[in-house]
């Protein structure tokens, strides 16, 4: 069964360092998303991406965040200068249609900022 | 103010003890309401989409229903493997992005 894969599964970084989280969406999906979940809190939307550009973003997705689809398979989230409050589980998701709400999520990348 | 409110926050059931989880929403122009299951340390897994009041969807021991103000996830004769956090999400207005509630943590004891 096709799945969304994310790397790394866990990353520990120092405050102020740059982090890149990587995702391989399901191959025939056209819509890609990043969500995050701070421990014990709800799943929060960060950004959606379609046709090589951002389609929607939340207030959380400020100038320190960026997304990129560098090739035909990878989708990345970059955090330029990490803060303690960026510590969270980051989920990548993909969708075939972008209108049904049926998102396929990866298992997440846990980011710990010290 | 949260657009999606789920209750209860946590629910403990004995195996076979049926119950319901609630998701109330305050958005206007609901486009769709979605239920997901999330196991500890994993990403959410899609269960159902409901589009209009009166609609029902079923999958194994789960049945989701929708009214104009809320949705229920009914769990019939649950088993320990149904233990998970159940998330409700909505899409509304001009956004095609699911907005999640805080979830209900369900534990089913054998």
């Amino acid at each position: 069964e096709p799945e969304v894969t994310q790397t790394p599964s866990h990353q520990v970084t120092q405050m102020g360092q740059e982090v890149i989280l990587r995702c391989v969406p399901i191959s025939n999906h056209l819509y890609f998303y990043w969500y995050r979940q701070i421990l014990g809190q709800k799943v929060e939307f960060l950004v959606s991406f379609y046709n090589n550009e951002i389609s929607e973003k939340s207030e959380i997705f400020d100038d320190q965040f960026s997304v990129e689809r560098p090739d035909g398979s990878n989708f990345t989230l970059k955090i330029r200068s990490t803060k303690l409050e960026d510590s969270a589980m980051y989920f990548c998701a993909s969708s075939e249609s972008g209108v049904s709400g049926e998102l396929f999520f990866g298992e997440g990348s846990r980011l710990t900022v010290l | 103010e949260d657009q999606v409110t789920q209750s209860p926050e946590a629910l403990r059931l004995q195996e076979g003890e049926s119950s319901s989880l609630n998701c109330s929403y305050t958005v206007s122009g609901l486009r769709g309401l979605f239920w997901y299951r999330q196991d500890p340390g994993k990403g959410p897994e899609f269960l159902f989409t409901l589009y209009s009041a009166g609609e029902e969807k079923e999958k194994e021991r789960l049945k989701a229903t929708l009214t104009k103000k809320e949705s229920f996830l009914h769990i019939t004769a649950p088993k320990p493997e149904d233990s998970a956090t159940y998330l409700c999400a909505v899409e509304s207005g001009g956004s095609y992005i699911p907005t999640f509630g805080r979830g209900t943590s369900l534990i089913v004891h054998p």
Side-chain angles (χ1 to χ4, degrees):
Chain A
E1 185 174 326
E3 59 180 18
V4 176
T5 57
Q6 291 186 240
T7 55
S9 56
H10 189 193
Q11 181 154 358
V12 181
T13 190
Q14 295 292 323
M15 188 169 55
Q17 295 297 303
E18 176 182 285
V19 163
I20 297 176
L21 305 179
R22 293 180 168 80
C23 169
V24 179
I26 294 173
S27 62
N28 65 329
H29 286 187
L30 302 177
Y31 298 81
F32 315 119
Y33 310 80
W34 283 101
Y35 281 78
R36 78 173 184 189
Q37 186 174 32
I38 296 171
L39 188 64
Q41 298 191 24
K42 64 180 179 179
V43 176
E44 298 177 295
F45 169 70
L46 293 177
V47 66
S48 62
F49 194 85
Y50 170 72
N51 199 25
N52 284 320
E53 60 183 25
I54 291 172
S55 47
E56 291 190 52
K57 62 181 181 179
S58 72
E59 293 177 351
I60 303 169
F61 193 86
D62 61 22
D63 290 345
Q64 71 159 341
F65 291 94
S66 62
V67 289
E68 193 178 32
R69 188 157 163 82
D71 54 44
S73 59
N74 290 285
F75 179 51
T76 63
L77 174 69
K78 181 191 290 185
I79 309 175
R80 289 191 183 82
S81 179
T82 50
K83 304 172 187 173
L84 296 176
E85 54 263 38
D86 294 327
S87 294
M89 182 75 94
Y90 288 81
F91 292 108
C92 174
S94 68
S95 169
E96 188 173 7
S97 70
V99 295
S100 72
E102 184 175 353
L103 272 55
F104 290 79
F105 284 82
E107 297 214 331
S109 292
R110 179 167 297 285
L111 176 64
T112 302
V113 182
L114 302 176
Chain B
E1 181 182 337
D2 283 353
Q3 296 178 316
V4 180
T5 303
Q6 293 189 246
S7 61
E9 288 186 13
L11 182 62
R12 293 177 179 268
L13 299 174
Q14 288 298 125
E15 185 172 1
E17 180 187 1
S18 301
S19 188
S20 297
L21 313 182
N22 178 264
C23 171
S24 63
Y25 58 92
T26 57
V27 301
S28 58
L30 180 75
R31 179 174 297 111
L33 184 142
F34 318 101
W35 283 98
Y36 283 78
R37 168 189 171 130
Q38 186 176 26
D39 291 302
K42 306 285 187 181
E45 177 187 350
F46 174 79
L47 294 173
F48 303 112
T49 301
L50 300 166
Y51 291 109
S52 56
E55 190 174 0
E56 298 184 354
K57 294 276 180 72
E58 283 190 64
K59 181 179 180 179
E60 297 181 355
R61 295 176 292 282
L62 301 176
K63 183 167 91 171
T65 61
L66 180 64
T67 73
K68 289 186 178 179
K69 294 182 179 180
E70 59 192 349
S71 175
F72 291 94
L73 184 66
H74 307 278
I75 303 177
T76 302
K79 299 181 178 181
E81 52 262 42
D82 295 322
S83 298
T85 295
Y86 290 86
L87 305 176
C88 173
V90 299
E91 280 183 13
S92 64
S95 174
Y96 289 88
I97 304 300
T99 299
F100 285 85
R102 295 181 181 272
T104 293
S105 174
L106 173 67
I107 297 175
V108 181
H109 296 284

